[in-house]
Amino acid sequence: MPDPTPGITLSAATVILSDRVVLDSISLTLTEQRIGILGRNGSGKTTLLRLIAGLIAPQQGSVRLDGIDPYSDRKAALAAIGILFQNPDHQILFPTVEEELAFGLIQSGVSQAEALARVHQALAREGRAHWAKEPVSNLSQGQRHYLCLQAVLLMQPRTILLDEPLAGLDLPTQARLARRFADLPQRLVTITHDPAAVAAADRVLWLEGGRIAADGLPADVLPAFTAEMARIGERDADADLTR
Ligand SMILES: Nc1ncnc2c1ncn2[C@@H]1O[C@H](COP(=O)(O)OP(=O)(O)OP(=O)(O)O)[C@@H](O)[C@H]1O
């Protein structure tokens, strides 16, 4: 029976990859609309995102997404959650824009004709009806990112996971996408190494070595994170000099 409380719950969730504890007994309840997961390279952010999305299962503990187990109940998980990966080329499967956008809908049981109709409506709403037959390979990186966002939105998930959503995009594209994200009614979970990307979040979790190092408002977590990253950077620089 699904838990009527919407949100993401991890109970002592541990992920071990190749004999290595990558996430160490994490317990969390996330109910805020804008959640940031912040950490440096290798801290476990992508693994946490994959765990929440049900792409991997914890070796110990449990994960619940709006009351369902996202790993074992894939159909419910696909309706509940969408992921925008950092690299759109890891997400795009089809040669044309309309095929790419229709795929998720068709997978979820919508007829091909209905899926294409919804795709064309969505493109028209975005002022991009002319994109329908366009080869995806003709789109820039920023446009492919935007295409992937449209593909996620067409599925109308309640939660969207964003993996470094603005990395590698030019400043106008970053500003446009940030505005789009801010306007979305969905719960957004953003993973990033960049404190600025989660400055407006309702809650920020700082992940370090597969554990939650801090959890709170951006005003409390971000200065501590930034200071610690500067301290680590200085230490590494000193180590280089003494080599
Ligand atoms: N399949 C795997 N087998 C073994 N170790 C892994 C595997 N996948 C990830 N790891 C390790 O788990 C740790 C966390 O990786 P993860 O990709 O979750 O970090 P991240 O915070 O997303 O890093 P980045 O910011 O660099 O993308 C890293 O030390 C990584 O080497």
Side-chain angles (χ1 to χ4, degrees):
M1 182 76 184
D3 180 340
T5 315
I8 298 162
T9 306
L10 274 65
S11 304
T14 293
V15 173
I16 301 168
L17 300 172
S18 309
D19 291 336
R20 171 152 184 222
V21 177
V22 175
L23 294 177
D24 189 2
S25 191
I26 294 191
S27 293
L28 283 174
T29 301
L30 303 174
T31 55
E32 295 77 7
Q33 277 296 97
R34 297 291 183 261
I35 297 155
I37 297 175
L38 184 63
R40 58 192 172 124
N41 294 140
S43 56
K45 303 182 297 296
T46 305
T47 307
L48 180 57
L49 182 144
R50 291 169 59 77
L51 183 69
I52 292 171
L55 299 176
I56 54 174
Q59 272 76 18
Q60 292 158 26
S62 65
V63 178
R64 290 292 176 274
L65 178 63
D66 296 341
I68 61 142
D69 176 340
Y71 183 77
S72 59
D73 193 347
R74 291 307 299 151
K75 198 166 186 328
L78 287 174
I81 205 156
I83 312 180
L84 195 63
F85 289 100
Q86 178 174 1
N87 185 343
D89 296 334
H90 292 167
Q91 196 156 352
I92 292 171
L93 297 170
F94 290 90
T96 67
V97 167
E98 66 178 9
E99 289 171 289
E100 181 62 33
L101 290 177
F103 173 67
L105 290 170
I106 294 169
Q107 283 286 97
S108 73
V110 176
S111 73
Q112 186 169 8
E114 169 65 18
L116 283 173
R118 287 194 209 172
V119 165
H120 292 158
Q121 278 166 14
L123 285 171
R125 266 199 311 274
E126 297 285 323
R128 287 183 168 81
H130 56 289
W131 273 23
K133 307 279 181 203
E134 191 78 18
V136 172
S137 56
N138 286 2
L139 302 181
S140 73
Q141 176 86 357
Q143 289 168 333
R144 287 203 292 273
H145 222 82
Y146 176 85
L147 172 67
C148 291
L149 176 62
Q150 292 310 319
V152 168
L153 293 179
L154 273 164
M155 300 299 292
Q156 301 185 305
R158 289 184 295 279
T159 298
I160 300 178
L161 305 180
L162 305 170
D163 183 357
E164 301 281 3
L166 304 179
L169 302 174
D170 65 24
L171 292 176
T173 309
Q174 285 193 22
R176 265 202 305 277
L177 266 184
R179 267 201 311 277
R180 289 304 307 271
F181 293 143
D183 288 345
L184 293 176
Q186 276 89 355
R187 171 175 298 119
L188 298 185
V189 181
T190 301
I191 68 167
T192 183
H193 67 275
D194 178 7
V198 290
D202 302 315
R203 177 176 176 186
V204 176
L205 306 157
W206 168 5
L207 202 58
E208 185 71 46
R211 295 181 180 193
I212 305 293
D215 176 357
L217 294 171
D220 296 324
V221 176
L222 301 191
F225 176 81
T226 304
E228 177 64 4
M229 294 307 111
R231 197 186 66 77
I232 293 170
E234 279 165 20
R235 195 184 58 201
D236 287 346
D238 287 342
D240 284 346
L241 288 174
T242 54
R243 222 179 257 150

